Amino acid sequence: MILDLRQFESFPAEIVLTGDSGSLNLDFQGLNELKSVKIELRMQESGEEYFCQGTVHASVNVECSRCLTGFDKQFENSVDFIACSESLHADEGDVFDSEDYAFFVGGDIQADITDIVRQSIILSLSLKPLCSEDCKGLCAQCGVNLNEQTCSCETEKIDPRWESLKKLSEQTTENKEHS
Ligand SMILES: [Zn+2]
Ligand SMILES: [Zn+2]
């Protein structure tokens, strides 16, 4: 995925890039399909460096981290990097953090942003996607999807917050019985 900076006559400039989901070669557990990728960028020139900020939009099919069912989801994640020639920072050695950089390829001002886009999508995927906020997940004993069916496993754990309420309602029932 190449960001070609030669096409702009002046900066700041804006661009929308459509990513080739195949070339991202994204292999992440729980990701069934990367359907499409779009990158919106604003770029500013500063000497020999280009400061780029924007948003990566990814349309994916992922596994719900609770019930493991595949579902479609849109991710959005901000990106922030500097495009420049690798030789510009060549003498900085270990103190240089290349993660924030996209280096020029082919001796021209076009930067390979594949890694940056890939990292951005991986970050979104690692946030444990859920098919819905109240997904019931799988039964820990028999493995059925509790969104689709119920099971008769004895796994009912009562939330401690409900415990006192339950006692209260039992007492109320007893009182009624006595009166
Ligand atoms: Zn789910
Ligand atoms: Zn069960």
Side-chain angles (χ1 to χ4, degrees):
M1 203 170 284
I2 299 292
L3 170 63
D4 189 348
L5 292 155
R6 294 172 302 180
Q7 64 189 295
F8 306 106
E9 288 179 0
S10 64
F11 290 90
E14 290 183 12
I15 193 172
V16 178
L17 294 167
T18 308
D20 171 11
S21 48
S23 75
L24 279 171
N25 223 343
L26 206 61
D27 187 13
F28 191 87
Q29 197 191 351
L31 176 69
N32 296 326
E33 190 190 354
L34 179 59
K35 297 182 166 188
S36 67
V37 185
K38 190 178 81 177
I39 304 117
E40 294 173 318
L41 284 177
R42 290 178 306 281
M43 296 147 290
Q44 180 63 278
E45 188 181 20
S46 172
E48 288 178 79
E49 297 187 310
Y50 297 83
F51 293 90
C52 307
Q53 276 187 319
T55 312
V56 174
H57 304 263
S59 170
V60 294
N61 186 279
V62 281
E63 246 175 32
C64 171
S65 59
R66 257 183 226 161
C67 70
L68 308 181
T69 307
F71 67 103
D72 288 339
K73 189 170 169 67
Q74 308 277 343
F75 282 125
E76 262 183 32
N77 212 345
S78 59
V79 280
D80 195 338
F81 61 92
I82 298 165
C84 66
S85 163
E86 195 166 6
S87 60
L88 209 60
H89 296 276
D91 53 358
E92 290 172 35
D94 288 344
V95 289
F96 178 66
D97 186 3
S98 66
E99 254 182 40
D100 302 328
Y101 288 81
F103 295 122
F104 293 157
V105 288
D108 222 324
I109 58 166
Q110 23 179 355
D112 188 351
I113 60 169
T114 312
D115 275 345
I116 283 167
V117 174
R118 188 189 291 121
Q119 285 311 318
S120 160
I121 298 172
I122 286 176
L123 198 69
S124 303
L125 289 171
S126 57
L127 298 175
K128 299 198 184 299
L130 290 178
C131 63
S132 87
E133 279 305 316
D134 50 4
C135 170
K136 298 188 185 79
L138 303 176
C139 169
Q141 291 195 9
C142 71
V144 304
N145 185 341
L146 297 171
N147 299 308
E148 290 164 1
Q149 49 182 304
T150 50
C151 63
S152 48
C153 298
E154 304 272 333
T155 52
E156 249 191 79
K157 283 203 192 95
I158 295 164
D159 189 314
R161 283 170 300 178
W162 294 111
E163 186 82 308
S164 54
L165 269 179
K166 192 169 164 261
K167 277 191 192 132
L168 202 69
S169 74
E170 277 167 3
Q171 278 168 9
T172 319
T173 324
E174 274 171 29
N175 290 344
K176 271 183 194 153
E177 279 165 3
H178 286 297
S179 59

